[in-house]
């Protein structure tokens, strides 16, 4: 085991960091629209809510934070609606997904030519599995003292922005902190919820040997669905 790679620390990616990431989708068991998104979506834990989400894992692919991960969900169905009855959460998510495609393919966001529009066409949300793009990451303060702060996607970095070319080339870019004020913590419950994996007064158990621990189950990667043009999504062809 002497030549094994040492574990990475659990430190967060610094607030405002610019990184190149690849996004993988984690199937949640609920069907989306169409055969391509069967079993793809995840239900919210909020009781009585009709929200369905896309569960995404982001992995940094280059630079000083390489292999660091963070996770985020995006509403694609349900929740509050606008005057036309369209999910507000979906409208926000749809804009983010379009920005991911523009960033991945180097498309000018203002380019509405037939060729550019064709590249933004998806058979389903499953086509976004494996997309690689430039991102700015923020640190989101926890609103519950029992949990740690976490990384989130602050925004997608688009072609034409000064950081874009360097990020996509894997070069280091100075961070630009988001300067979001920390949210005030809420009062902690006496007993943690079951899903937190914490016990209030559980005695420390002897640490098992590594080979006695159950192996983590990695989500089965969803095969990238082809875009309208032959050969699959354009970001998988480069």
């Amino acid at each position: 085991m002497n030549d094994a790679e040492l574990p990475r620390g659990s430190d967060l990616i610094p607030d405002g960091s610019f990184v190149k990431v690849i996004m993988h989708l984690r199937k949640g068991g609920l069907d989306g629209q169409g055969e391509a998104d069967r079993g793809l979506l995840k239900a919210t834990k909020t009781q009585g809510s009709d929200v369905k989400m896309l569960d995404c894992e982001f992995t940094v692919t280059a630079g000083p934070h390489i292999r660091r991960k963070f996770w985020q969900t995006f509403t694609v169905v349900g929740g509050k609606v606008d005057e036309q009855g369209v999910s507000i959460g979906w409208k926000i998510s749809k804009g983010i997904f379009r920005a991911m495609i523009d960033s991945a393919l180097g498309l000018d966001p203002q380019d509405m030519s037939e060729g550019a529009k064709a590249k933004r066409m998806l058979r389903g949300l499953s086509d976004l599995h494996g997309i690689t793009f430039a991102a700015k990451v923020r640190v989101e303060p926890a609103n519950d003292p029992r949990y740690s702060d976490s990384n989130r996607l602050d925004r997608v970095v688009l072609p034409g922005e000064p950081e874009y070319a360097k990020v996509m080339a894997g070069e280091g870019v100075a961070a630009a902190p988001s300067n979001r004020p920390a949210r005030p913590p809420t009062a902690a419950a006496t007993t943690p919820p079951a899903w937190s994996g914490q016990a209030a007064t559980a005695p420390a158990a002897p640490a098992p040997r590594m080979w006695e621990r159950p192996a983590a189950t990695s989500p089965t990667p969803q095969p990238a669905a082809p875009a309208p043009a032959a050969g699959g999504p354009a970001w998988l062809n480069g």
Side-chain angles (χ1 to χ4, degrees), residues 46-67:
T46 303
Q47 187 173 5
S49 173
D50 63 344
V51 168
K52 297 179 182 178
M53 305 172 294
L54 196 64
D55 188 1
C56 303
E57 177 183 86
F58 299 91
T59 304
V60 179
T61 64
H65 309 298
I66 190 169
R67 292 188 292 278

Side-chain angles (χ1 to χ4, degrees), residues 15-39:
D15 184 59
S17 293
F18 292 92
V19 293
K20 185 178 181 180
V21 298
I22 184 170
M23 183 174 80
H24 289 141
L25 306 183
R26 306 194 297 176
K27 299 182 73 170
L30 299 180
D31 292 342
Q33 293 185 3
E35 185 66 26
D37 291 345
R38 184 174 298 278

